[in-house]
Amino acid sequence: MECDVDGSNEKIPLLKYPTIKKILRQRYLFMLLMPGVVWAVLFAYAPMAGLYMAFIDYKPTLGDFWGSLFKADFVGLQWFEYFFTGQDFAQVMRNTLVSSVLTLSIGFMVPICIAITLNEVRISWFKRTVQTASYLPFFISWVVAASIVITFLSAEGPVNQLLMKLGIVEQGVLFMQEGKLFWIIIALSNAWKDMGYNSIMYLAAIAAIPTELFEAAKVDGAGRLKQIRYVLLPMLRPTIIILLILNIGNLLNTGFDQFFLLGNSLNRSYSDVIDTYAFRYGIQNGMFSYASAVSMFKSVVAFILVVAVNQLSKKMSGTRLF
């Protein structure tokens, strides 16, 4: 295989170029990678062209999307200013941040605890049973999961029945109508649904820790708790930091499904977050440019958070994502 360099007639074998030689040697790996690259380009990067809609006054025209997009009036940062100065901004940001921080605090720690606990279990059948049971909720859609949560928290549901039998309450609590309880309900339901799946990465990281380290700690007189504290957790720290960086990047990405399905008119002042707010204005009210601006604001903040936390982690612990 040869190529023409600088328009001259001199032929130089392509294999002399290290990058091309490496690509040819690993061509089957690149072939396996191509479907993922094509998917990312089509569904992750190509739709980013729609961010232009956040800077125009877009009015859809039936059958002429591109014409109505590029012929729309350019308004600059008008929609962003409208969002920041609107009466809903403070409430939407409060709901998004509080629910996200609660979800991150509970949902991030639970998988770590599950992974460490399962690692200490020596009864194999019990360990497999618990793992399978904790994984199952992840594969349930939020439509089904929300129905389960609403049923359990209904006035005559299992949770209220238990509270009344214990004498904590005299009559059923209307959990889904209490706005102040909505944030903790969202945090707990997210932790329940994702805890098993998220624990897989920690279990894999624990399995990669050399057993010699635990044996050396045991010889030095360390019990199980001290082995966890001085061996397991320090070895698990890089994985925890990387996953924490990724989770903080999604701090404003609270998720649409759970808030839309669990929210209602009685708890809207606590359940209305950026995703549902953009949906309500963009789809239901037809303000597509405004919804695009709101979603773009969320994405920009997420990018800034990822970069900032990554640099902070690099300075403090030497571990970084990129």
Side-chain angles (χ1 to χ4, degrees):
M1 188 177 294
E2 299 178 336
C3 69
D4 191 357
V5 181
D6 297 331
S8 64
N9 294 325
E10 182 182 0
K11 302 295 183 178
I12 298 179
L14 283 176
L15 293 180
K16 286 188 176 181
Y17 293 94
T19 302
I20 297 178
K21 185 177 181 180
K22 186 179 296 185
I23 292 174
L24 291 175
R25 187 170 63 247
Q26 300 176 355
R27 57 187 179 277
Y28 296 113
L29 296 177
F30 281 98
M31 290 173 61
L32 292 173
L33 183 65
M34 283 307 298
V37 173
V38 171
W39 180 91
V41 170
L42 291 179
F43 295 100
Y45 290 97
M48 291 179 67
L51 293 176
Y52 174 68
M53 196 180 296
F55 304 96
I56 61 175
D57 185 13
Y58 173 71
K59 294 181 176 62
T61 303
L62 186 62
D64 188 18
F65 170 76
W66 296 110
S68 59
L69 180 67
F70 292 111
K71 293 179 182 178
D73 297 331
F74 185 81
V75 296
L77 301 178
Q78 173 184 316
W79 296 116
F80 295 92
E81 182 181 357
Y82 183 74
F83 176 55
F84 296 145
T85 58
Q87 59 182 359
D88 295 326
F89 177 75
Q91 177 178 288
V92 170
M93 287 302 298
R94 181 202 65 178
N95 296 341
T96 303
L97 290 173
V98 174
S99 58
S100 296
V101 170
L102 279 174
T103 299
L104 179 62
S105 302
I106 299 174
F108 189 75
M109 295 303 300
V110 170
I112 299 175
C113 296
I114 290 177
I116 294 174
T117 304
L118 288 176
N119 184 64
E120 299 301 315
V121 174
R122 295 294 177 261
I123 305 175
S124 58
W125 67 266
F126 180 77
K127 182 176 182 178
R128 290 196 301 269
T129 303
V130 173
Q131 281 182 295
T132 303
S134 63
Y135 296 161
L136 286 177
F138 179 80
F139 299 100
I140 299 175
S141 69
W142 262 111
V143 176
V144 178
S147 300
I148 294 173
V149 172
I150 292 173
T151 301
F152 267 72
L153 297 179
S154 63
E156 298 180 355
V159 174
N160 272 313
Q161 294 294 329
L162 178 62
L163 293 176
M164 286 188 289
K165 285 183 179 180
L166 294 175
I168 299 176
V169 296
E170 296 182 358
Q171 58 182 4
V173 179
L174 301 177
F175 288 99
M176 302 310 300
Q177 298 180 19
E178 292 287 341
K180 295 179 180 179
L181 299 176
F182 185 81
W183 295 331
I184 192 66
I185 292 173
I186 281 289
L188 293 175
S189 59
N190 273 295
W192 162 71
K193 193 173 185 301
D194 298 336
M195 61 182 181
Y197 181 80
N198 291 338
S199 66
I200 295 176
M201 291 171 281
Y202 297 109
L203 286 170
I206 292 173
I209 299 175
T211 55
E212 292 80 3
L213 296 177
F214 293 101
E215 293 173 357
K218 189 175 181 180
V219 170
D220 290 338
R224 296 305 303 174
L225 291 178
K226 288 188 176 182
Q227 290 179 36
I228 293 173
R229 179 179 178 183
Y230 294 108
V231 178
L232 192 149
L233 287 177
M235 296 297 293
L236 206 59
R237 184 173 62 182
T239 304
I240 293 174
I241 292 176
I242 289 174
L243 292 177
L244 180 61
I245 294 172
L246 294 174
N247 277 275
I248 289 179
N250 290 321
L251 194 63
L252 296 185
N253 190 23
T254 53
F256 170 78
D257 298 344
Q258 56 269 46
F259 284 89
F260 181 75
L261 294 168
L262 294 176
N264 54 60
S265 58
L266 297 175
N267 59 28
R268 175 165 292 180
S269 59
Y270 290 87
S271 64
D272 197 19
V273 293
I274 290 179
D275 292 316
T276 56
Y277 182 79
F279 169 78
R280 192 168 72 253
Y281 275 88
I283 304 300
Q284 295 180 340
N285 295 346
M287 299 175 64
F288 299 102
S289 293
Y290 181 55
S292 298
V294 173
S295 299
M296 186 176 180
F297 161 73
K298 183 185 71 172
S299 301
V300 171
V301 172
F303 176 77
I304 294 173
L305 285 174
V306 168
V307 174
V309 175
N310 183 73
Q311 293 300 318
L312 182 64
S313 174
K314 177 184 176 182
K315 291 181 178 179
M316 294 181 62
S317 64
T319 303
R320 60 176 180 170
L321 181 61
F322 52 87

